[in-house]
């Protein structure tokens, strides 16, 4: 990379850090290319991305962002996983690390909060944004269903009463 490419890369990475909800930092030493491609595809499906970059350039890109506190994590072979959804990057990285011991989570950042490895794992156990939306919609729909059932019950009772009177009249 020449100097202009590095400058452009740092600018792009800086904008990425500012826009992402969560950033996860991990060591990836020993992962094969196939495993990295699998990890990247899983992250893409969840709406995130994975980048491997020079630590020095990442530290420069972190300056002036909320995630600046994680710059001390960038030593050795590190990668960054990020997503706009606050849970997606942590969840995919944690799930992949469970099945592969060569991916070691170092920590991360969620907004201005710096997370250690346990913090990232705790974040991964939280429900995703889509799951929370589904639960919220379910909670909103439940009372409406109950109200509809209560309103329909008296009408059903009246229909049964009228039906009983009709049968009584027919019998007589």
């Amino acid at each position: 990379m020449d100097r202009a490419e590095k400058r452009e890369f740092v600018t792009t990475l800086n904008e990425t850090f500012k826009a992402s909800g969560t950033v996860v930092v991990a060591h990836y030493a020993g992962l094969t290319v196939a495993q990295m491609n699998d990890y990247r595809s899983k992250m893409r499906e969840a709406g995130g991305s994975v980048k491997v970059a020079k630590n020095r350039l990442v530290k420069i890109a972190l300056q002036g962002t909320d995630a600046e506190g994680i710059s001390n994590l960038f030593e050795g072979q590190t990668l960054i996983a990020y997503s706009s959804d606050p849970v997606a990057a942590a969840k995919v990285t944690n799930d992949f690390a469970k099945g592969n011991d060569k991916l070691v989570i170092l920590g991360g950042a969620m907004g201005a909060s710096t997370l250690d490895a346990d913090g990232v794992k705790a974040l991964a156990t939280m429900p995703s944004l889509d799951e929370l939306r589904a639960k919220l919609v379910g909670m909103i729909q439940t009372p409406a269903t109950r109200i509809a059932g209560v309103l329909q019950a008296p009408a059903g009772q009246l229909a049964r009463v009228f039906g009983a009177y009709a049968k009584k009249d027919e019998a007589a």
Side-chain angles (χ1 to χ4, degrees), residues 1-19:
M1 264 195 213
D2 65 350
R3 188 169 281 196
E5 289 174 328
K6 288 180 182 177
R7 198 173 297 121
E8 183 180 330
F9 179 75
V10 167
T11 304
T12 305
L13 203 55
N14 184 282
E15 292 169 4
T16 301
F17 285 135
K18 288 180 180 176

Side-chain angles (χ1 to χ4, degrees), residues 22 43 46-48 83-93 128:
T22 304
M43 187 65 74
S83 66
S84 57
D85 181 358
V87 179
K91 189 172 286 232
V92 172
T93 303
S128 70

Side-chain angles (χ1 to χ4, degrees), residues 61-111:
L62 280 170
Q63 293 174 358
T65 65
D66 289 340
E68 193 170 357
I70 63 170
S71 62
N72 61 337
L73 299 175
F74 291 95
E75 292 180 9
Q77 290 183 328
T78 55
L79 62 81
I80 51 173
Y82 54 89
S83 66
S84 57
D85 181 358
V87 179
K91 189 172 286 232
V92 172
T93 303
N94 190 44
D95 290 345
F96 192 80
K98 282 180 184 176
N100 195 325
D101 59 342
K102 298 215 181 347
L103 184 72
V104 180
I105 298 173
L106 300 175
M110 185 172 102

Side-chain angles (χ1 to χ4, degrees), residues 149-163:
V150 168
L151 292 176
Q152 288 177 351
Q157 290 173 348
L158 281 174
R160 285 191 289 277
V161 169
F162 290 140

